[in-house]
């Protein structure tokens, strides 16, 4: 890729990034989207999305992302594979490295999203891919006719547990508290499912058996009684929330204690010309629709910023 | 999407084409229905081209080849394993950057 300076570069290709791409493409800003390792974002790992407005009967997550991508491309967004390995926000234009390419851009829209959090046990790392998973839709298939555990108590944990009952003989939900954080509708669905049992007030002590090379059990401790027990399971799905993908920007952009980018006046970050949208700056709502909405805001903010630093292009289309 | 440099490994040819191969062999455990596996596909294709002659690169469909999938206790995909002299010497679980694969490969060349 030639070292031409882009007007808008977007990092990330989930609902936030692709909506930002759609809006800035329609504003004739010819945005470049750098897809990232998890192209399409978290929705690629889901099944039916039933709360995205306009899809009365629901839509499959990967289908929704394919449609968003094609819509952005139709208006001239350029989407490339690869991920940003380094970025310098102290120079103008901003400079980043993608594989062997160097990309310069006047504005940057960060839509890098969030990735699944892990418990941090050594046995968890050792058994990843051999029974430990963060993606029920990817790996549920391997547990046909076997017992499994799901760790967590939010919407995604319950959704995964319900999905996994298609394959597993029994799904044990392991949750640290005595009540779920998940929405009422999800709780009702999960608790009514005869294949789902819940271990309340319980934490994971260890995943077994790293020396055998595959999961064959999980050691649990009841936080109220202190009692420990081992449950025989062949799979453990970890669904304890997400952590924002902000490693690239450490020390360059203001972030909160959890690592989420701090935005002000819409999507503006602590560096002028850098905007953030989607889960990378939102630990409260974290919905596809809020991510898309904030992607739209970032594109409009970037467009206005570009207008403020240069005369508007004569071919500018209404947004 | 599949490059002609990418071999198809199966329960049937695994012993001769992977375990008894003279060069290191990179095996991508994948399935049609796995979105992240499809995302990884082009990276595997690119590696097959770059390491042609030095590393044999191929894919094993976990749906069609339960024998090897169970033998290596693969319960999550994409999982990529590097075999050398019949042994697993590296493994990368999940989608990773090409640079990460190259680092793992170069250690064993």
């Amino acid at each position: 890729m030639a070292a031409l300076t882009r007007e808008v570069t977007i990092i990330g290709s989930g609902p936030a990034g692709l909506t930002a791409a759609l809006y800035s493409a329609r504003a004739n800003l010819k945005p470049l989207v750098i897809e990232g390792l998890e192209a399409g974002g978290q929705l690629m790992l889901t099944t039916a999305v039933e709360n995205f407005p306009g899809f009365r009967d629901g839509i499959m997550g990967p289908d929704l992302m394919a449609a968003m991508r094609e819509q952005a491309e139709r208006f001239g967004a350029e989407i490339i594979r690869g991920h940003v390995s380094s970025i310098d926000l102290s120079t103008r234009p901003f400079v980043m490295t993608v594989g062997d390419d160097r990309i310069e851009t006047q504005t940057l829209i960060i839509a890098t999203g969030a990735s699944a959090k892990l418990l941090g046990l050594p046995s968890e790392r050792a058994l990843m891919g051999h029974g430990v998973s963060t993606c029920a839709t990817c790996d549920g298939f391997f547990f046909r006719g076997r017992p499994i555990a799901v760790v967590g108590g939010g919407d995604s944990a319950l959704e995964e547990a319900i999905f996994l009952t298609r394959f597993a003989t029994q799904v044990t939900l392991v949750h640290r508290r005595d009540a779920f954080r998940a929405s009422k509708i999800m709780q009702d669905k999960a608790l009514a499912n005869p294949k789902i049992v819940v271990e309340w007030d319980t934490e994971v002590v260890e995943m077994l058996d790293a020396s055998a090379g595959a999961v064959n059990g999980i050691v649990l401790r009841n936080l109220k009684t202190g009692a420990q027990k081992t449950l025989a399971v062949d799979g453990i799905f970890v669904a304890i929330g997400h952590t924002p993908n902000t490693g690239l920007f450490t020390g360059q952009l203001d972030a909160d204690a959890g690592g989420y980018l701090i935005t002000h006046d819409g999507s503006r970050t602590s560096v002028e010309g850098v905007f953030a949208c989607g889960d990378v700056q939102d630990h409260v709502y974290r919905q596809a629709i809020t991510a898309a909405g904030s992607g739209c805001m970032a594109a409009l903010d970037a467009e206005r910023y570009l207008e403020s630093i240069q005369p508007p292009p004569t071919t500018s289309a209404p947004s | 999407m599949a490059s002609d440099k990418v071999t198809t490994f199966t329960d049937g040819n695994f012993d001769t084409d992977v375990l008894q191969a003279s060069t290191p062999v990179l095996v991508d455990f994948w399935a049609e229905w796995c979105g992240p596996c499809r995302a990884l596909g082009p990276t595997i294709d690119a590696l097959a081209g770059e390491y042609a002659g030095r590393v044999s690169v191929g894919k094993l469909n976990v749906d069609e080849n339960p024998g090897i999938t169970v033998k290596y206790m693969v319960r999550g995909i994409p999982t990529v394993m590097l075999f050398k002299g019949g042994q697993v010497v590296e493994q990368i679980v999940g989608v990773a950057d090409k640079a990460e694969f190259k680092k793992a490969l170069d250690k064993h060349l």
Side-chain angles (χ1 to χ4, degrees):
Chain A
M1 195 172 313
L4 110 148
T5 300
R6 296 279 178 163
E7 285 185 292
V8 178
T9 300
I10 298 161
I11 311 180
S13 55
L18 291 179
T19 305
L22 170 65
Y23 272 76
S24 41
R26 285 175 57 82
N28 267 342
L29 297 172
K30 300 180 179 60
L32 174 70
V33 179
I34 301 159
E35 204 174 64
L37 284 181
E38 295 168 50
Q42 292 169 49
L43 280 188
M44 297 301 285
L45 308 180
T46 64
T47 52
V49 178
E50 304 205 299
N51 55 10
F52 202 90
F55 296 93
R56 195 188 56 185
D57 303 318
I59 180 168
M60 297 303 279
D63 294 344
L64 178 60
M65 295 323 297
M68 281 193 198
R69 187 186 175 101
E70 282 161 24
Q71 191 180 4
E73 284 177 326
R74 181 156 77 90
F75 293 104
E78 184 187 346
I79 303 177
I80 61 165
R81 228 171 34 229
H83 90 128
V84 179
S85 53
S86 67
I87 191 159
D88 185 352
L89 302 178
S90 66
T91 60
R92 301 301 166 106
F94 307 123
V95 181
M96 67 192 98
T97 308
V98 178
D100 299 324
D101 295 322
R102 173 191 156 93
I103 292 167
E104 296 186 355
T105 188
Q106 284 181 284
T107 65
L108 178 71
I109 296 178
I110 300 170
T112 49
S115 296
K117 217 188 256 181
L118 293 170
L119 292 166
L121 302 168
S123 53
E124 172 187 54
R125 175 131 300 282
L127 292 166
M128 190 60 68
H130 299 286
V132 177
S133 174
T134 57
C135 178
T137 56
C138 305
D139 301 333
F141 153 88
F142 292 99
F143 303 96
R144 196 176 292 281
R146 298 167 171 206
I148 57 160
V150 173
V151 185
D155 268 327
S156 46
L158 269 56
E159 194 185 337
E160 295 214 336
I162 294 164
F163 173 78
L164 288 165
T165 58
R166 296 186 198 183
F167 308 101
T169 48
Q170 183 172 315
V171 177
T172 304
L173 258 167
V174 179
H175 187 44
R176 290 178 57 87
R177 299 171 211 280
D178 60 4
F180 289 128
R181 273 174 292 113
S183 61
K184 183 78 170 60
I185 185 164
M186 200 64 89
Q187 294 197 31
D188 291 347
K189 255 194 203 171
L191 295 172
N193 192 310
K195 280 189 176 180
I196 295 179
V197 289
V198 186
E199 292 283 350
W200 303 103
D201 302 304
T202 297
E203 68 173 5
V204 179
V205 179
E206 190 71 85
M207 298 180 182
L208 305 173
D209 180 355
S211 59
V215 170
N216 60 22
I218 187 169
V219 183
L220 304 175
R221 175 167 49 220
N222 186 297
L223 292 162
K224 289 206 168 138
T225 65
Q228 283 203 16
K229 67 173 169 187
T230 300
L231 210 63
V233 293
D234 287 322
I236 302 167
F237 288 80
V238 182
I240 53 169
H242 290 81
T243 183
N245 298 320
T246 49
L248 269 180
F249 315 107
T250 307
Q252 303 196 73
L253 293 174
D254 289 350
D256 70 13
Y260 289 86
L261 297 182
I262 296 171
T263 52
H264 65 92
D265 300 309
S267 64
R268 289 163 181 81
T269 67
S270 55
V271 171
E272 236 185 49
V274 180
F275 307 89
C277 51
D279 284 10
V280 73
Q281 50 86 57
D282 169 23
H283 54 86
V284 180
Y285 304 105
R286 297 174 297 134
Q287 303 299 304
I289 187 67
T290 52
S294 71
C296 161
M297 289 163 61
L300 296 177
D301 289 344
E303 186 186 349
R304 278 171 205 152
Y305 170 79
L306 283 167
E307 280 166 7
S308 76
I309 59 167
Q310 68 197 6
T314 50
T315 54
S316 163
S319 56
Chain B
M1 197 159 87
S3 147
D4 55 359
K5 297 197 172 65
V6 178
T7 313
T8 300
F9 297 129
T10 63
D11 283 353
N13 70 13
F14 203 82
D15 192 51
T16 48
D17 291 5
V18 178
L19 300 181
Q20 294 173 32
S22 50
T23 57
V25 186
L26 194 72
V27 182
D28 174 20
F29 291 85
W30 75 289
E32 203 68 62
W33 40 262
C34 158
C37 297
R38 284 200 296 275
L40 184 63
T43 303
I44 299 297
D45 293 349
L47 290 168
E50 283 180 40
Y51 286 85
R54 295 185 291 154
V55 177
S56 160
V57 175
K59 301 185 183 193
L60 185 131
N61 185 313
V62 297
D63 281 333
E64 294 162 6
N65 301 286
I68 292 298
T69 303
V70 169
K71 181 177 174 198
Y72 288 93
M73 294 183 278
V74 173
R75 293 185 199 162
I77 49 173
T79 288
V80 177
M81 293 184 185
L82 181 65
F83 288 82
K84 195 179 179 183
Q87 300 295 318
V88 180
V89 290
E90 294 284 339
Q91 81 169 2
I92 294 176
V93 177
V95 179
D97 193 14
K98 195 168 86 180
E100 196 176 326
F101 286 101
K102 292 179 76 161
K103 211 168 78 187
L105 284 170
D106 292 342
K107 271 196 264 175
H108 299 279
L109 291 178

